[in-house]
Amino acid sequence: DAGVIQSPRHEVTEMGQEVTLRCKPISGHNSLFWYRQTMMRGLELLIYFNNNVPIDDSGMPEDRFSAKMPNASFSTLKIQPSEPRDSAVYFCASSLAQGEGQPQHFGDGTRLSIL
Amino acid sequence: AQSVSQHNHHVILSEAASLELGCNYSYGGTVNLFWYVQYPGQHLQLLLKYFSGDPLVKGIKGFEAEFIKSKFSFNLRKPSVQWSDTAEYFCAVGRYSGYSTLTFGKGTMLLVSP
């Protein structure tokens, strides 16, 4: 079975540029999560969706960050304009929403470097 | 708000040594507990989980964890580590209120020397 698919795997760009990260969740999963991982702050939840609707975006650091989920099989995380401090690994994860004990399944991540 | 505390940021062991990684959480309600592992350059993978029943949970690759409700702890153990266990380990607390969300600890980096 295909897992969570993220693209690109690596992105290097100059500050000020727009960055778009993409995620395809596991088919049938109705919750989707975006995380950011850095050495200093560990794994931080940025936003999560349930049935394509954003439930909690309190982890989104600034207005420069936005996320969308236009359908059940696709989500984007956009940073505009990007800054060097946005450099991190960004993970997407998906899970079934219903019922307790549902684990999250993670993609391979996008390693983002802003110069 | 719930939080997860992992006691050690880095652990160095020799092969065949026993492992115990501490995890404490703060949350008053019913919790689901998870351990994830992240091998170098890879994504997080589920090691094991607890949400009800026997508080001693067995996971993949010989790992186990024990949920002690009175201590708000969910420590990860393995009797004999291997070089291939070198990875970062994350404890997570799940909360279900119609939607399942996770709060992760900062992680413990385990280095196993051959």
Side-chain angles (χ1 to χ4, degrees):
Chain A
D1 288 342
V4 176
I5 299 172
Q6 290 186 247
S7 64
R9 288 294 308 274
H10 303 273
E11 174 91 17
V12 181
T13 192
E14 292 185 342
M15 67 177 291
Q17 298 297 308
E18 178 179 291
V19 173
T20 300
L21 312 181
R22 298 173 178 79
C23 176
K24 177 179 167 56
I26 292 172
S27 178
H29 282 187
N30 49 4
S31 286
L32 184 140
F33 307 81
W34 281 101
Y35 291 89
R36 177 172 67 177
Q37 186 180 36
T38 61
M39 288 286 290
M40 291 296 292
R41 303 168 77 99
L43 200 60
E44 303 172 276
L45 177 64
L46 300 177
I47 184 171
Y48 71 94
F49 295 83
N50 190 66
N51 291 327
N52 313 338
V53 176
I55 302 301
D56 185 352
D57 65 354
S58 59
M60 297 284 263
E62 300 171 33
D63 290 346
R64 298 184 296 106
F65 285 70
S66 63
K68 293 182 180 179
M69 192 164 186
N71 57 61
S73 59
F74 183 66
S75 177
T76 59
L77 177 68
K78 190 171 291 188
I79 308 173
Q80 167 62 21
S82 58
E83 296 182 5
R85 59 194 168 117
D86 302 330
S87 298
V89 181
Y90 291 81
F91 287 103
C92 177
S94 71
S95 74
L96 289 169
Q98 286 76 26
E100 296 189 60
Q102 298 293 351
Q104 293 178 15
H105 300 262
F106 284 76
D108 287 335
T110 295
R111 186 172 295 275
L112 177 64
S113 297
I114 308 296
L115 307 177
Chain B
Q2 59 201 43
S3 65
V4 180
S5 174
Q6 292 185 237
H7 307 155
N8 308 97
H9 293 298
H10 295 89
V11 172
I12 301 174
L13 294 174
S14 299
E15 274 194 314
S18 65
L19 170 71
E20 180 160 2
L21 301 182
C23 173
N24 285 91
Y25 65 93
S26 63
Y27 182 62
T30 301
V31 294
N32 307 313
L33 298 160
F34 303 81
W35 276 97
Y36 281 82
V37 60
Q38 185 178 27
Y39 297 103
Q42 295 188 27
H43 61 273
L44 277 77
Q45 303 171 42
L46 182 67
L47 261 184
L48 47 80
K49 69 175 184 180
Y50 168 84
F51 67 98
S52 68
D54 190 342
L56 184 61
V57 179
K58 294 194 184 298
I60 61 172
K61 304 186 181 186
F63 285 91
E64 65 178 31
E66 185 175 12
F67 170 50
I68 303 179
K69 189 174 181 180
S70 61
K71 294 185 179 180
F72 296 89
S73 70
F74 190 56
N75 292 355
L76 181 70
R77 300 194 292 249
K78 186 171 183 178
S80 176
V81 294
Q82 300 172 312
W83 175 79
S84 58
D85 293 324
T86 293
E88 190 156 19
Y89 293 81
F90 293 89
C91 181
V93 173
R95 178 168 55 97
Y96 180 71
S97 55
Y99 314 104
S100 291
T101 61
L102 296 181
T103 300
F104 284 87
K106 289 269 197 278
T108 297
M109 184 66 216
L110 171 66
L111 176 62
V112 180
S113 57

